[in-house]
Amino acid sequence: KGYGFTLQNRGCNFSLEKGHPNVVAPKKRSYHTIIPGLATKNGELVGPFSVMGGFMQPQGHVQFLINILEYRMNPQMALDMPRF
């Protein structure tokens, strides 16, 4: 507390097993569920976003963006919608 950084335990999903899809290796972006999004339009920043959802988080990001862009929801409405 008071040191200016946080700890997390999501590294448990990484693997050191050679050939594993989620192996930790140089120049590789191993999958994990701490994946915030950053929206841009015409090269300009629109804003950051993220959803909770563990392994469905990438899909949750897409559903959130569709709710915002296609259905014209505000951010809170888009976050409150059911995900599948």
Side-chain angles (χ1 to χ4, degrees):
K1 184 175 177 179
Y3 289 105
F5 63 90
T6 59
L7 302 175
Q8 50 87 12
N9 67 351
R10 303 269 175 108
C12 66
N13 291 322
F14 298 149
S15 176
L16 298 176
E17 181 182 327
K18 190 174 182 176
H20 188 279
N22 212 33
V23 67
V24 176
K27 298 184 180 180
K28 183 174 184 307
R29 293 183 180 180
S30 300
Y31 176 81
H32 59 84
T33 60
I34 302 175
I35 48 174
L38 189 65
T40 62
K41 183 175 182 179
N42 300 323
E44 296 293 321
L45 176 65
V46 174
F49 64 93
S50 191
V51 300
M52 294 177 11
F55 290 107
M56 69 77 58
Q57 198 170 17
Q59 177 180 325
H61 280 178
V62 172
Q63 290 174 325
F64 172 77
L65 288 173
I66 288 171
N67 288 339
I68 296 272
L69 300 172
E70 295 296 319
Y71 296 111
R72 313 300 283 171
M73 293 180 188
N74 67 48
Q76 188 62 59
M77 273 176 98
L79 287 170
D80 289 344
M81 294 301 292
R83 297 188 204 130
F84 49 90

